[in-house]
């Protein structure tokens, strides 16, 4: 089948969790023998090297440059279509007419208006990435400045109802979407990847990696501050990713290493991965990456959202608890093997569930494709 994909974020370079999700999901779909026509709708700008890299990833790549980018709503919330401009709609309509896709996949509910352009013969798929209804209230409670997109549950439901199938990335969001939408809801978490692994020797080297969004900025700064205040001199924290540009620290126990081009190198540098996020939504790609590398991981409960975590070091309630547990495991290295075993078990369960969920999703798309094709012949 020919898939026409619209995304407000590119798939190169893979410097943020949403980019990794889109790339891995489309790669899995393409491996099933499908053709991927990728249209980047340009909200994050475009470097020539990014366009070149994406052309090597997909069967067809095009760039739609928006004529207007809204950053703040006129009222308390964004309406569901506030982010999509007339030029993007016009270019999307031309692409649909020219390419005659079997499936249209739109990333993010605020771009769901594109699905209204789909012919009756086309399967309409929406990958939500996150829950945006009342997202501003979640940010307010966490004392994080409102950013990106937020709307009301009613407006979010309008966007979801444009799709034949809505994809949620964790169970709680799937349940919420089923309450506000009549569309078919499918669960598909981030696609797991095969990673190189190394042995752990517990030298007291801890690491975090993240993109430069407001939620990461807040909790990574809290982690660094608590580390400087409480960690022992034998413990060292490596902070990687674009979030380093927003971290303020002056300590020999913390290294800001910035954007990492080679994840293998980063994870081979550290003994234990950390996830300090205390609030947020969605499924945390940084947690999955650490598990893929068979890393022992110490995480807040929020950082493990979407995983069936049971180890006490996986369900911590605060950054302070996370640093305290980091100290404990550095002082008691025998704890490391049990933590590593817990990561291995979590990953195996996750991979099995993902393969099953992916096949269920693809079967539903194929079923709808056949049904719509039969309607054309009646």
């Amino acid at each position: 089948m020919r898939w026409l994909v619209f995304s407000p974020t590119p798939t190169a370079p893979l410097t943020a969790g949403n980019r990794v999700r889109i790339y891995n999901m489309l790669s899995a779909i393409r491996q099933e023998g499908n053709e991927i026509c990728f249209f980047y709708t340009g909200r994050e700008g475009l470097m020539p090297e990014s366009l070149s890299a994406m052309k090597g990833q997909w069967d067809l790549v095009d760039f739609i440059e928006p004529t207007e980018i809204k950053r703040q709503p006129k009222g308390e919330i964004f309406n569901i279509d506030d982010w999509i401009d007339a030029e993007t709609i016009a270019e999307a309509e031309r692409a649909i007419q020219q390419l005659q896709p079997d499936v249209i996949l739109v990333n993010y509910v605020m771009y769901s208006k594109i699905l209204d352009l789909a012919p009756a013969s086309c399967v309409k798929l929406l990958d939500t990435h996150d829950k945006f209804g009342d997202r501003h209230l979640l940010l307010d409670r966490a004392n994080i400045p409102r950013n990106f997109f937020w709307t009301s549950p009613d407006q979010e439901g309008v966007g979801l109802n444009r799709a034949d199938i809505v994809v949620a990335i964790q169970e709680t969001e799937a349940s919420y979407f089923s309450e506000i939408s009549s569309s078919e809801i499918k669960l598909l978490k981030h696609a797991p990847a095969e990673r190189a692994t190394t042995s752990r020797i517990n030298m007291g080297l801890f690491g975090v990696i993240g993109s430069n969004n407001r939620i990461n900025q807040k909790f990574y700064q809290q982690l660094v501050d608590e580390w400087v205040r409480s960690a022992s001199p034998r413990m060292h924290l490596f902070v990687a990713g674009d979030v380093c540009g927003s971290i303020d620290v002056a300590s020999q126990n913390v290294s800001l290493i910035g954007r990492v081009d080679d994840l293998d190198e980063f994870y081979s540098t550290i003994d234990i991965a950390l996830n300090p996020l205390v609030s947020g939504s969605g499924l945390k790609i940084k947690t999955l990456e650490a598990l893929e590398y068979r890393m022992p991981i110490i995480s807040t409960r929020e950082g493990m959202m979407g995983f069936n975590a049971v180890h006490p070091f996986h369900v911590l309630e605060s950054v302070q608890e996370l640093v305290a547990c980091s100290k404990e495991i550095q002082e008691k290295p025998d704890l490391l093997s049990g933590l590593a075993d817990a990561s291995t078990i979590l990953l195996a369960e996750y991979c099995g569930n993902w393969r099953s969920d992916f096949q269920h999703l693809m079967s539903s798309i194929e079923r709808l494709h056949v049904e719509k094709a039969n309607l054309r012949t009646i």
Side-chain angles (χ1 to χ4, degrees), residues 128-144:
T128 55
H129 289 261
D130 210 336
K131 168 184 176 289
F132 292 98
D134 289 340
R135 181 174 179 270
H136 57 303
L137 303 181
L138 181 150
L139 295 172
D140 292 348
R141 287 194 296 270
N143 293 316
I144 297 172

Side-chain angles (χ1 to χ4, degrees), residues 257-289:
I257 59 180
R259 180 176 292 187
V260 174
D261 294 324
D262 186 353
L263 285 176
D264 291 356
E265 181 178 353
F266 171 70
Y267 282 106
S268 67
T269 300
I270 65 175
D271 302 311
I272 300 171
L274 306 177
N275 190 332
L277 300 187
V278 176
S279 68
S281 56
L283 188 142
K284 310 306 183 289
I285 191 71
K286 60 182 69 66
T287 298
L288 177 57
E289 283 180 350

Side-chain angles (χ1 to χ4, degrees), residues 200-203 272 296 311 313 325-342:
R200 309 296 163 203
I201 55 177
N202 195 25
M203 295 294 291
I272 300 171
H311 193 285
F313 283 14
C325 288
S326 299
K327 290 174 64 177
E328 182 178 355
I329 205 166
Q330 200 274 333
E331 294 166 356
K332 302 175 182 177
D334 290 347
L335 295 175
L336 190 63
S337 61
L339 192 58
D341 289 344

Side-chain angles (χ1 to χ4, degrees), residues 9-264:
T9 190
T11 55
L14 296 174
T15 53
N18 58 348
R19 297 183 182 196
V20 174
R21 173 178 175 80
I22 295 167
Y23 173 78
N24 286 344
M25 180 177 174
L26 294 183
S27 295
I29 292 168
R30 195 165 185 251
Q31 287 172 6
E32 296 284 308
N34 297 291
E35 178 185 4
I36 303 296
C37 303
F38 186 86
F39 278 65
Y40 168 46
T41 55
R43 186 171 178 85
E44 299 176 16
L46 183 66
M47 300 295 289
E49 56 268 28
S50 295
L51 182 60
S52 177
M54 287 191 291
K55 287 182 176 179
Q57 294 170 339
W58 316 121
D59 299 286
L60 174 69
V61 173
D62 207 343
F63 173 46
I64 301 175
E65 186 170 9
T67 55
E68 180 184 9
I69 296 179
K70 292 185 178 179
R71 303 293 183 186
Q72 293 295 326
K74 292 181 179 179
E76 178 71 4
I77 62 168
F78 286 105
N79 289 322
I80 196 63
D81 296 328
D82 278 354
W83 269 28
I84 190 161
D85 64 310
E87 180 65 19
T88 298
I89 288 294
E91 290 296 324
E93 187 169 23
R94 279 192 284 271
I96 292 168
Q97 291 174 351
Q98 178 183 352
L99 295 172
Q100 295 294 300
D102 301 295
V103 180
I104 295 178
L105 166 58
V106 170
N107 287 277
Y108 289 98
V109 68
M110 63 286 268
Y111 290 90
S112 61
K113 190 174 182 180
I114 293 173
L115 294 174
D116 285 341
L117 307 173
S121 60
C122 189
V123 179
K124 298 178 292 184
L125 190 65
L126 176 65
D127 191 4
T128 55
H129 289 261
D130 210 336
K131 168 184 176 289
F132 292 98
D134 289 340
R135 181 174 179 270
H136 57 303
L137 303 181
L138 181 150
L139 295 172
D140 292 348
R141 287 194 296 270
N143 293 316
I144 297 172
R146 296 180 182 184
N147 66 94
F148 200 59
F149 185 86
W150 62 91
T151 190
S152 68
D154 285 345
Q155 281 287 294
E156 190 164 30
V158 169
L160 299 180
N161 283 336
R162 291 165 167 162
D164 296 315
I165 298 174
V166 171
V167 180
I169 69 171
Q170 60 160 291
E171 291 87 350
T172 56
E173 291 174 12
S175 177
Y176 161 75
F177 293 147
S178 68
E179 293 174 358
I180 64 171
S181 171
S182 58
S183 296
E184 183 177 355
I185 311 297
K186 290 292 184 182
L187 176 68
L188 189 68
K189 299 178 180 180
H190 295 311
E194 289 294 327
R195 306 285 190 182
T197 59
T198 59
S199 60
R200 309 296 163 203
I201 55 177
N202 195 25
M203 295 294 291
L205 304 177
F206 299 77
V208 291
I209 186 169
S211 57
N212 196 24
N213 62 59
R214 293 288 181 86
I215 293 175
N216 284 351
Q217 289 168 11
K218 174 175 180 174
F219 293 113
Y220 281 43
Q221 185 66 60
Q222 284 187 8
L223 172 63
V224 166
D225 292 344
E226 184 65 21
W227 199 270
V228 172
R229 184 165 44 247
S230 304
S232 76
R234 299 188 305 277
M235 297 166 61
H236 196 91
L237 176 65
F238 292 92
V239 183
D242 289 345
V243 71
C244 290
S246 299
I247 300 297
D248 181 25
V249 63
S251 171
Q252 294 183 344
N253 286 48
V254 179
S255 296
L256 304 180
I257 59 180
R259 180 176 292 187
V260 174
D261 294 324
D262 186 353
L263 285 176
D264 291 356

